[in-house]
């Protein structure tokens, strides 16, 4: 029996290391899938906004003398935003910044559109326009919620792969830190409202 004791101990250690590595990998995979699902929800919320923008622009076009440059800015910002893609499995800070910048352009041009609408009482009273405006406000809340949930999914993943000793196996299995969704530059300053 003593002859086999070293082999039993070595086998036990190998089994323990295997189970630990398996646990580190499987937990990281599960947490990564949560991040990918959350990112899909972010993209779905932005897609809903892009779909609503088309309806909003068509409704606003009905106002005979509405400013064409404002509508053009909204359409162009929407087109740019739909061209930026991010791979949720390999989100880099640069990809997230480009995505965030494109979506910021949409938000900015939409804000200008809604401010310009104030000059058109008939349009402001149009039920279709009012419904679309409410839908956009609801969608913006959905976007905020989706972005928050994305960040909430990133935190446990990053914590799991960065804590020692998990970091040893996480690096061997190719798991890397994910980037949080941050506000666009200048979002910390108050908005200047002009009438």
């Amino acid at each position: 029996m003593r002859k086999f004791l070293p082999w039993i101990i070595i086998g036990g250690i190998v089994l323990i290391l295997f189970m630990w590595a398996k646990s580190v990998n499987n937990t990281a995979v599960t947490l990564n899938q949560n991040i990918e699902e959350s990112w899909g929800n972010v993209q779905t919320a932005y897609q809903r906004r892009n779909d609503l923008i088309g309806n909003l622009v068509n409704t606003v076009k009905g106002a005979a003398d509405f400013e064409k440059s404002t509508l053009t800015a909204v359409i162009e910002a929407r087109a740019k935003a739909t061209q930026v893609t991010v791979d949720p499995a390999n989100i880099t800070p640069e990809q997230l910044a480009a995505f965030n910048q494109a979506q910021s352009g949409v938000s900015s041009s939409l804000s200008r559109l809604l401010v310009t609408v104030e000059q058109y009482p008939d349009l402001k009273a149009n039920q279709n326009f009012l419904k679309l405006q409410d839908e956009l406000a609801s969608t913006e809340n959905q976007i905020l919620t989706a972005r928050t949930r994305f960040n909430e999914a990133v935190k446990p993943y990053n914590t799991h792969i960065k804590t020692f000793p998990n970091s040893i196996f996480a690096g061997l299995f190719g798991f890397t830190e994910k980037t949080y969704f941050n506000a666009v530059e200048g979002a910390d300053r108050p908005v200047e409202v002009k009438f």
Side-chain angles (χ1 to χ4, degrees), residues 115-179:
V115 166
T116 307
V117 164
E118 294 296 318
Q119 301 169 12
Y120 297 88
D122 292 340
L123 185 57
K124 284 188 347 184
N126 180 314
Q127 289 303 312
N128 288 337
F129 178 77
L130 293 174
K131 184 178 178 202
L132 284 168
Q133 201 172 13
D134 287 343
E135 294 255 348
L136 275 172
S138 170
T139 300
E140 292 299 326
N141 287 333
Q142 288 176 2
I143 289 170
L144 172 64
T145 301
R147 287 172 59 160
T148 301
R149 288 186 179 151
F150 173 78
N151 282 347
E152 288 170 353
V154 168
K155 182 180 178 183
Y157 170 83
N158 283 348
T159 302
H160 178 72
I161 67 161
K162 290 173 72 176
T163 54
F164 183 79
N166 292 355
S167 58
I168 296 168
F169 283 113
L172 290 174
F173 293 137
F175 292 103
T176 58
E177 182 179 3
K178 302 289 184 187
T179 304

Side-chain angles (χ1 to χ4, degrees), residues 18-86:
F18 171 77
M19 296 302 286
W20 176 50
K22 178 182 164 195
S23 173
V24 169
N25 182 64
N26 290 347
T27 302
V29 167
T30 301
L31 293 171
N32 192 43
Q33 288 301 305
N34 290 341
I35 290 172
E36 290 190 23
E37 177 189 21
S38 296
W39 182 252
N41 292 338
V42 168
Q43 290 183 313
T44 300
Y46 279 118
Q47 183 61 49
R48 181 171 190 261
R49 178 173 72 176
N50 286 339
D51 294 344
L52 286 172
I53 288 172
N55 294 335
L56 182 69
V57 167
N58 288 335
T59 302
V60 171
K61 276 183 184 176
D65 58 349
F66 197 82
E67 299 172 20
K68 300 292 183 212
S69 63
T70 305
L71 289 176
T72 303
V74 171
I75 293 167
E76 287 174 358
R78 177 183 173 216
K80 285 180 188 173
T82 57
Q83 292 173 355
V84 177
T85 58
V86 175

